[in-house]
Amino acid sequence: MIRLAQAQDMDSVVEIWLLASLQSHDFVDASSWWQVQEDLRIRYLDRASIWVCEEQEEIQGFIALVDDYLAALFVRPDRQGCGVGHALLSQAKRLLPVLRAMVYLENDEALRFYRRHGFVIEGEETDPLTGHPLLRIRFVEQPAMLAAAP
């Protein structure tokens, strides 16, 4: 079930972010993630629209949306590849016809995921926190093709 997050969900959201960041971004020094985990609440979570995917009363993943920016999409490491990320991204696409996001260049799995879901690369920049390259990506909903008249 996808639903809007509530205040009591925030500890689970931060835990998922940390666990998934440590696994998916193993090219970044782990201390970076530990140092910014509380900053995450201030920078994104306190001003974002957060949606969680809950199964059997446990949060499996979340998205954080700030305007047209997909600030976060994270899934518990043990639930990755089970459709949670797809469901969350589908929710984001239902809410916003244009989505922008950032993904680490070294995060091949995430980059493949976003490309499969229609995102294109717009540019590259360096993450000031880690010094690693980030790709700016964008999804624009395409109107359905009109059937040709006979």
Side-chain angles (χ1 to χ4, degrees), residues 38-51:
E38 281 308 312
D39 188 41
L40 174 74
R41 291 179 196 264
I42 297 163
R43 286 180 45 209
Y44 294 119
L45 302 185
D46 286 348
R47 61 189 186 117
S49 171
I50 301 171
W51 295 79

Side-chain angles (χ1 to χ4, degrees), residues 92-110:
K93 287 176 176 181
R94 278 191 292 276
L95 295 168
L96 300 168
V98 177
L99 284 171
R100 299 183 192 288
M102 302 288 279
V103 63
Y104 282 103
L105 178 66
E106 294 105 324
N107 192 345
D108 293 331
E109 190 173 324

Side-chain angles (χ1 to χ4, degrees), residues 20-135:
S21 291
L22 289 168
Q23 176 190 341
S24 300
H25 307 125
D26 58 354
F27 48 87
V28 175
D29 181 14
S31 66
S32 297
W33 305 122
W34 288 97
Q35 291 171 4
V36 297
Q37 69 176 326
E38 281 308 312
D39 188 41
L40 174 74
R41 291 179 196 264
I42 297 163
R43 286 180 45 209
Y44 294 119
L45 302 185
D46 286 348
R47 61 189 186 117
S49 171
I50 301 171
W51 295 79
V52 297
C53 179
E54 186 176 57
E55 295 175 359
Q56 298 176 343
E57 299 182 18
E58 184 178 351
I59 296 173
Q60 305 299 318
F62 74 95
I63 54 172
L65 302 170
V66 178
D67 300 323
D68 71 344
Y69 183 63
L70 179 61
L73 188 163
F74 288 93
V75 176
R76 284 191 179 284
D78 63 336
R79 297 293 295 147
Q80 291 178 6
C82 298
V84 174
H86 174 79
L88 287 164
L89 188 54
S90 294
Q91 176 66 16
K93 287 176 176 181
R94 278 191 292 276
L95 295 168
L96 300 168
V98 177
L99 284 171
R100 299 183 192 288
M102 302 288 279
V103 63
Y104 282 103
L105 178 66
E106 294 105 324
N107 192 345
D108 293 331
E109 190 173 324
L111 192 51
R112 278 192 305 275
F113 172 82
Y114 285 117
R115 281 184 167 155
R116 268 194 325 270
H117 288 90
F119 281 77
V120 296
I121 297 171
E122 288 191 311
E124 185 176 326
E125 59 189 70
T126 301
D127 183 356
L129 172 69
T130 66
H132 287 265
L134 287 167
L135 296 175

Side-chain angles (χ1 to χ4, degrees), residues 97 138-145:
R138 175 180 53 89
F139 170 81
V140 178
E141 184 175 1
Q142 300 296 318
M145 296 295 290

